[in-house]
Amino acid sequence: MKIKDKIKHLEELEKQALLGGGKERINAQHKKGKLTARERIELLLDKGTFRETDKFVTHSCTDFGMDKKKILGDGVVTGYGRINGRKVCIFVEDFTVFGGSLSHAYAEKICKLQDFSLRMGCPIIGIKDSGGARIQEGVESLAGYTDVFLRNVMSSGVVPQISAVMGPCAGGAVYSPAMTDFIIMVKGSYMFLTGPNVVKAATHEEVTSEELGGAGVHNAKSGVAHFSADSEIEGVELIKKLLSFIPQNNLEDTPPIEPNDDVNRMNKKLDEIVPDSPNKPYDMSEVIKKVIDDGDFFEIHEHYAKNLIVGFARMNGKSVGIVGNQPAVLAGVLDKDSSMKGARFVRFCDCFNIPIITFVDVPGFLPGTAQEWGGVIKNGAKLLYAYCESTVPRITIITRKAYGGAYCVMSSKHTRTDINFAWPSAEIAVMGPEGAVKILYKNKIKDAKNPKELEKKLIDEYTEKFANPFITASKGYIDAIIRPSETRPRIIEALQVIENKRDTNPPRKHGNIPL
Ligand code: HXC
């Protein structure tokens, strides 16, 4: 064959590969309101930067007549390209080919890309649209999945891993995204280990795919997903924005952006944001937005455990992770779910050199059997552990309450936080005044002529003594009491001081975080 003919042959094969499962299946995909794998790549990557790898890979299954059904690329499109100029690796499951199901060859393509992204130190993005293990392949596909899972674990904390679910993500398909750093789910997509039919057979429970594992469920109930997007376009925008806050790998910093916001900007409204009454709620996200650059807060897990806020922002153009108790939801109490949410976020920031700023207004841990039986001790310990082991620069601001164990947990000085601020409105004590008085003076109040009056007097006295930051500051557990209005410049200045911080943990195989 002449070279001219060889080139022609290549072009024909390339054309064929581009069609995936064929025109009919592409039309069916569009009819469901879904884009194809290649359309998704086009939407996500900078124009003209995608380079496909392993376009001609096919499966090697011969059972069930599969030897006569070979499709170039075999159901997953893999390659690399750029997003806003930064390198990424990407694999996109192609539902038009055998329902996006995973064969051994398909898994090998993903593994090769995972190894590549790890060596090159660039984030890897997986777009999920798959019916799970390719049933015709049996154990070969299970082996393939496990090879992918192993690499998810090896990549964890070295390169950011992001998953976006844009269709079914069933059976074995769920565990790879579950081990990545962030999951975005587009409305209409679903994730479950076993589908509605199996659920019905096993438990007689009747549920739809959406009810079992839709974007709403995994964002608000299970916490499996971090973001919900109304459309694939919105999902793609979320990936781009998320990437802008995180570095390429664990040895790099996130590239700063040219800041628009004034470093010295004060905000007088912050002086009035904490209500005089200790039990009145206020919105911590307002505090956060008034402090960060341009009020641009990128919230993570927005719909899950809303009593704790986590997300990314910038201070003077540099990426930071924000954690904040939310007094507007359950009075900002810590519970089993919010503790886990916080722990996961703190650990991500610590893996990827992103300084953490913690805003504290927490009345304690949520009491009750649901919490105790649900493992609030273990989960609270996760957050505590995550803060204690982290070595990234950390700043804490206590805006109001910091009571009991929750004081310890929420990036207190004792967890190696670098700079601890408190507002004059801070109240730091072993527990709230009402509870403390009831325990300390139980008999005295019971025997009093006017128990109500005495109780109030004792509560006032206790509040007077502890509902301020001065005792804590006198012990050096707070570095400075600052005016709320000056929070932004004080944090930026502190971040500059601690940005080259070096801290280590004792050498060991790994710690044993209470999972
Ligand atoms: C092989 C599959 C497949 C699979 C779908 N297809 N899933 N082929 N293996 N796992 C094929 C279908 O046969 C069909 O081919 C085409 O993909 C499109 O599928 P449809 O069913 O027509 O599409 P839809 O109605 O949209 O339903 C999508 C779906 C459904 C909900 C994902 O296909 C489904 O329930 N699939 C099986 C899901 C599942 O139970 N997976 C678990 C596998 S076991 P034709 O040629 O007919 O159009 C597993 C365990 C691994 O994953 C554990 C590892 C740790």
Side-chain angles (χ1 to χ4, degrees):
M1 211 191 267
K2 287 186 181 150
I3 180 75
K4 201 172 74 180
D5 297 323
K6 286 184 179 175
I7 290 173
K8 202 166 161 226
H9 179 60
L10 168 69
E11 286 169 354
E12 274 161 12
L13 285 180
E14 278 182 331
K15 244 192 223 164
Q16 198 182 321
L18 290 184
L19 278 179
K23 281 202 173 120
E24 244 174 65
R25 286 179 197 270
I26 290 176
N27 289 341
Q29 179 86 345
H30 286 157
K31 263 197 193 142
K32 288 183 194 155
K34 288 159 65 180
L35 297 174
T36 64
R38 287 191 169 77
E39 286 164 347
R40 286 167 177 162
I41 290 171
E42 215 164 283
L43 205 60
L44 179 58
L45 297 196
D46 296 349
K47 206 172 165 41
T49 61
F50 181 59
R51 288 286 171 255
E52 189 167 343
T53 53
D54 297 332
K55 207 185 241 178
F56 302 132
V57 164
T58 54
H59 67 76
S60 50
C61 178
T62 51
D63 293 323
F64 303 98
M66 287 297 278
D67 46 340
K68 291 179 196 72
K69 292 188 198 162
K70 300 228 178 196
I71 295 178
L72 298 180
D74 199 46
V76 63
V77 183
T78 53
Y80 49 85
R82 287 180 186 263
I83 294 178
N84 292 325
R86 298 165 75 200
K87 278 179 274 184
V88 293
C89 287
I90 181 163
F91 65 93
V92 186
E93 297 175 341
D94 185 351
F95 191 80
T96 70
V97 181
F98 310 119
S101 59
L102 179 137
S103 68
H104 197 260
Y106 173 133
E108 280 179 333
K109 283 179 70 172
I110 298 178
C111 290
K112 195 169 141 186
L113 193 74
Q114 289 177 301
D115 293 341
F116 186 77
S117 92
L118 193 61
R119 281 204 309 276
M120 301 310 139
C122 71
I124 181 160
I125 300 160
I127 296 187
K128 313 293 292 178
D129 192 356
S130 164
R134 188 162 308 158
I135 294 161
Q136 296 89 332
E137 289 215 1
V139 72
E140 284 284 287
S141 64
L142 299 186
Y145 262 133
T146 319
D147 291 340
V148 173
F149 302 155
L150 175 73
R151 282 160 180 81
N152 282 129
V153 175
M154 294 302 130
S155 298
S156 183
V158 185
V159 291
Q161 303 178 80
I162 297 172
S163 306
V165 184
M166 297 198 177
C169 183
V174 300
Y175 276 120
S176 172
M179 284 194 290
T180 62
D181 298 302
F182 298 102
I183 300 181
I184 293 155
M185 284 187 78
V186 172
K187 286 199 176 137
S189 71
Y190 46 88
M191 290 179 83
F192 44 66
L193 272 171
T194 49
N197 292 340
V198 178
V199 170
K200 192 172 173 197
T203 67
H204 307 295
E205 197 183 1
E206 286 198 36
V207 277
T208 63
S209 298
E210 182 80 22
E211 287 163 348
L212 187 61
V217 166
H218 284 312
N219 272 272
K221 280 186 200 245
S222 71
V224 165
H226 302 79
F227 302 95
S228 173
D230 284 338
S231 65
E232 294 190 16
I233 294 177
E234 199 184 308
V236 160
E237 289 310 315
L238 279 170
I239 299 174
K240 289 185 189 177
K241 183 140 191 194
L242 176 57
L243 281 170
S244 76
F245 288 104
I246 60 186
Q248 291 294 94
N249 57 60
N250 64 333
L251 300 177
E252 290 185 21
D253 290 328
T254 311
I257 64 164
E258 193 56 45
N260 289 319
D261 207 345
D262 181 4
V263 170
N264 294 311
R265 177 174 57 75
M266 309 273 261
N267 193 318
K268 286 276 169 208
K269 286 191 181 141
L270 288 174
D271 288 337
E272 290 153 22
I273 206 159
V274 174
D276 286 332
S277 160
N279 297 325
K280 254 196 171 170
Y282 62 98
D283 187 353
M284 189 64 92
S285 66
E286 282 306 310
V287 173
I288 294 166
K289 284 178 193 160
K290 284 179 172 44
V291 169
I292 60 178
D293 287 4
D294 305 308
D296 184 14
F297 184 51
F298 187 61
E299 192 167 352
I300 293 159
H301 261 149
E302 183 184 351
H303 308 287
Y304 181 71
K306 292 177 173 188
N307 39 334
L308 190 83
I309 303 169
V310 302
F312 294 115
R314 289 187 183 85
M315 294 297 280
N316 194 24
K318 292 186 181 168
S319 186
V320 290
I322 305 268
V323 180
N325 305 113
Q326 172 55 290
V329 178
L330 292 172
V333 75
L334 276 177
D335 61 1
K336 62 187 176 58
D337 295 339
S338 59
S339 298
M340 200 151 57
K341 165 175 164 176
R344 184 131 176 85
F345 182 71
V346 166
R347 297 193 101 214
F348 177 82
C349 292
D350 192 45
C351 287
F352 290 106
N353 317 313
I354 301 172
I356 302 166
I357 302 170
T358 305
F359 291 87
V360 182
D361 187 345
V362 61
F365 278 95
L366 187 61
T369 49
Q371 288 296 312
E372 297 290 353
W373 296 352
V376 67
I377 296 175
K378 176 173 73 179
N379 285 2
K382 288 184 179 104
L383 182 55
L384 177 58
Y385 192 109
Y387 271 125
C388 286
E389 75 170 345
S390 74
T391 53
V392 280
R394 272 195 285 139
I395 295 171
T396 298
I397 306 100
I398 302 177
T399 60
R400 190 169 60 176
K401 296 172 195 167
Y403 285 153
Y407 158 77
C408 310
V409 169
M410 289 301 296
S411 201
S412 63
K413 184 53 112 191
H414 328 285
T415 65
R416 290 196 291 182
T417 306
D418 304 296
I419 311 269
N420 294 65
F421 292 129
W423 287 0
S425 47
E427 304 171 15
I428 303 154
V430 72
M431 65 194 296
E434 284 85 0
V437 164
K438 276 197 173 84
I439 293 170
L440 286 178
Y441 303 109
K442 189 170 89 180
N443 292 333
K444 203 170 165 185
I445 293 170
K446 197 176 76 193
D447 299 339
K449 252 195 205 157
N450 189 338
K452 282 264 163 265
E453 199 176 289
L454 179 65
E455 188 179 340
K456 186 178 175 311
K457 185 173 160 276
L458 292 168
I459 288 174
D460 288 347
E461 274 173 23
Y462 185 95
T463 307
E464 186 66 25
K465 188 164 168 54
F466 290 110
N468 64 68
F470 295 101
I471 296 174
T472 314
S474 76
K475 299 188 186 306
Y477 303 154
I478 294 290
D479 297 298
I481 301 170
I482 61 170
R483 284 151 200 79
S485 53
E486 62 175 342
T487 304
R488 174 177 165 78
R490 292 297 293 264
I491 291 179
I492 292 176
E493 186 194 70
L495 281 170
Q496 285 164 353
V497 171
I498 62 179
E499 69 182 347
N500 296 325
K501 169 188 178 182
R502 288 285 172 266
D503 207 345
T504 54
N505 294 325
R508 56 186 160 186
K509 191 170 174 193
H510 58 71
N512 189 13
I513 187 166
L515 294 173

